Amino acid sequence: MAADPQASADTGTRAILRRARLPLVAAPMLLVSGPELVIAACRAGVFGSFPTANCREEGRLDEWLRRIGEECAETPDAAPCVPNLIVHRSNPRLRQDLEVIIRHRPAAVITSVGSPAAVAPALRDAGIQVWCDVATVHHAQRAADAGADGLILLTAGAGGQTGNANPFAFVRAVRERFDGIIALSGGQADGAALLAAQALGCDLGYMGTRFIATREARAEARYKDLIVESELDDIHLTNALSGLETNLLRRSLLAQGLDPAEFGIGPKRFSMTALEGREGGAPKRWRDIWSAGHSVSGVRDVPSVAELVDRLAREYGEAAEAMLALASGVRR
């Protein structure tokens, strides 16, 4: 992952950033991100994304990408859609979804849960950038070696499947070695946090939790309300659901009659299979037990995506002005 002096001047790679009003990705969220949310995000001027796993029926991915492309074309300055592809071998639709994506040729694809090595050559041959989410410097190295154009750093506090690295240390460690696009995932809910991510050396912020609580998100009304009502201390970390460390809304566990204390970290973690025999069956991951990140403390309403992005842009501008004023007083 040695820094390449040419990479920082690679206008081909970074040109995509100029297509957004704000340096922000509305993160892909299982069951929550649908075409309505993606289209609204892109039209508002931020990168929209969705997991291809949300397209469960045959032909649905092709339908979504076509609809997103057509409706975003009506807004000349719309930001790109960047679909999210799970590259782990457990994904039975990997090849099928990859073929559909290549036909539509989005500007970039986000790869998750593994190395992008198996898909990066085909995507890049099609002129599609490869952005890979990673949770350690080791995995950042592997993704860069596999040809990733961008890295999404999953840090402590990110919603859903998360990392445990401190964002300050993680970003600086990766930026020292990698001159491609870097996006920061975890803990951001406003424009000031977005500016702070750039001050660290990131090109983009990556917000999921904040976009769950929008009118276009495909989340239940109670899920959105719970995010608004929750604080950072209401987020519970466990690897009981999937074996991967995941941040959940504590009150969604309680609502299912579950004891959060039994959902911990380690090899003796609580097993969801233990609930299969209970009356009504076991609660469904993601559908009945909801995820969110530490940024819930910054979510206090459920606006439209357009209203949210306008607010983020205003906060970003105000934070930039404040930092300029602060910097002007620094002794040199």
Side-chain angles (χ1 to χ4, degrees):
M1 198 167 55
D4 179 359
Q6 287 186 311
S8 60
D10 184 356
T11 56
T13 298
R14 277 192 159 70
I16 189 174
L17 302 175
R18 297 195 294 271
R19 297 174 61 185
R21 173 190 179 191
L22 275 179
L24 177 64
V25 179
M29 295 171 285
L30 193 64
L31 302 182
V32 171
S33 302
E36 303 84 5
L37 177 56
V38 174
I39 291 165
C42 293
R43 284 180 161 180
V46 301
F47 293 94
S49 64
F50 67 95
T52 61
N54 284 358
C55 303
R56 297 179 179 275
E57 294 83 7
E58 183 73 24
R60 184 59 57 85
L61 177 58
D62 184 68
E63 174 191 325
W64 279 23
L65 287 171
R66 183 179 297 108
R67 177 184 169 189
I68 291 166
E70 290 174 351
E71 295 195 30
C72 287
E74 298 172 3
T75 303
D77 56 352
C81 166
V82 286
N84 170 221
L85 183 63
I86 295 174
V87 295
H88 192 268
R89 61 181 178 274
S90 62
N91 179 6
R93 287 175 23 192
L94 176 57
R95 287 295 158 193
Q96 175 186 340
D97 287 357
L98 178 63
E99 291 174 3
V100 174
I101 287 171
I102 289 174
R103 284 204 305 272
H104 285 270
R105 295 182 183 263
V109 164
I110 299 165
T111 64
S112 298
V113 197
S115 168
V119 300
L123 290 169
R124 299 192 76 182
D125 285 348
I128 302 169
Q129 289 191 18
V130 179
W131 298 354
C132 180
D133 63 20
V134 296
T136 67
V137 174
H138 172 70
H139 287 128
Q141 174 79 58
R142 290 186 60 194
D145 291 345
D149 301 283
L151 299 175
I152 297 159
L153 308 189
L154 305 179
T155 68
Q161 292 174 348
T162 186
N164 58 22
N166 175 283
F168 290 92
F170 195 12
V171 172
R172 299 310 298 161
V174 173
R175 180 49 86 199
E176 182 181 8
R177 300 165 174 84
F178 181 68
D179 281 323
I181 293 171
I182 292 180
L184 176 63
S185 173
Q188 300 156 83
D190 57 27
L194 184 57
L195 182 69
Q198 287 192 300
L200 282 175
C202 296
D203 299 283
L204 295 164
Y206 202 77
M207 293 185 189
T209 299
R210 175 60 273 199
F211 281 89
I212 297 173
T214 58
R215 294 203 285 272
E216 292 87 349
R218 291 187 168 188
E220 293 182 24
R222 181 56 189 148
Y223 187 0
K224 297 178 184 183
D225 290 344
L226 197 55
I227 285 179
V228 171
E229 296 165 8
S230 295
E231 298 287 350
L232 188 156
D233 290 351
D234 297 314
I235 301 301
H236 185 77
L237 181 66
T238 180
N239 62 348
L241 266 66
S242 65
L244 299 175
E245 294 185 5
T246 304
N247 277 318
L248 303 172
L249 286 163
R250 183 185 302 272
R251 288 165 65 183
S252 74
L253 289 168
L254 294 171
Q256 295 298 322
L258 303 174
D259 181 0
E262 294 184 320
F263 284 73
I265 299 291
K268 295 183 179 180
R269 62 184 181 272
F270 181 84
S271 173
M272 293 290 287
T273 59
L275 298 173
E276 291 177 356
R278 80 172 189 172
E279 185 177 352
K284 300 292 185 182
R285 293 181 297 179
W286 321 125
R287 190 177 299 278
D288 301 319
I289 300 174
W290 297 324
S291 66
H294 290 176
S295 59
V296 289
S297 286
V299 181
R300 290 292 171 261
D301 60 355
V302 185
S304 69
V305 169
E307 291 168 341
L308 173 60
V309 173
D310 282 345
R311 182 189 307 169
L312 293 170
R314 183 177 64 253
E315 293 167 346
Y316 180 87
E318 291 170 351
E321 290 178 3
M323 288 300 97
L324 283 172
L326 185 63
S328 67
V330 175
R331 294 180 181 177
R332 290 177 172 81

